[in-house]
Amino acid sequence: QVQLVESGGGLVQPGGSLRLSCAASGSIFSNKVVGWYRQAPGKERTVVARIFTGINPFYADSVRGRFTISRDNAKNTVYLQMNSLKPEDTAVYYCNLAPPITSYWGQGTQVTVSS
């Protein structure tokens, strides 16, 4: 079974920073596009960022310039550095392949931006 474990979320004030990590079982990220997604209460899950080689990472317009996606292939881990956080960034953040595989969704990690 594939396991994706997100971590690093928490409560932060507007303008603050968080670094999220996503650890995958085995080497399921190998040669795959990996993405970060988020879902706010009552809203659909949307893609935040995607990465393959790092040459042309994708960012949603709402986070471009503030978030940075990266990966460590040797550790089967993908990261999301979030800076200049805004209240509208509040959501549960998930990782998955891009496009996502339904059965891969994990529990996510809660990010709350509030003051």
Side-chain angles (χ1 to χ4, degrees), residues 20-60:
L20 308 184
S21 298
C22 171
S25 60
S27 57
I28 63 171
F29 285 166
S30 297
N31 299 309
K32 301 292 194 304
V33 181
V34 181
W36 280 98
Y37 305 78
R38 66 186 182 186
Q39 186 171 32
K43 298 183 179 180
E44 296 182 353
R45 184 152 38 200
T46 59
V47 64
V48 174
R50 295 190 295 262
I51 188 171
F52 180 43
T53 66
I55 300 299
N56 292 306
F58 166 83
Y59 297 98

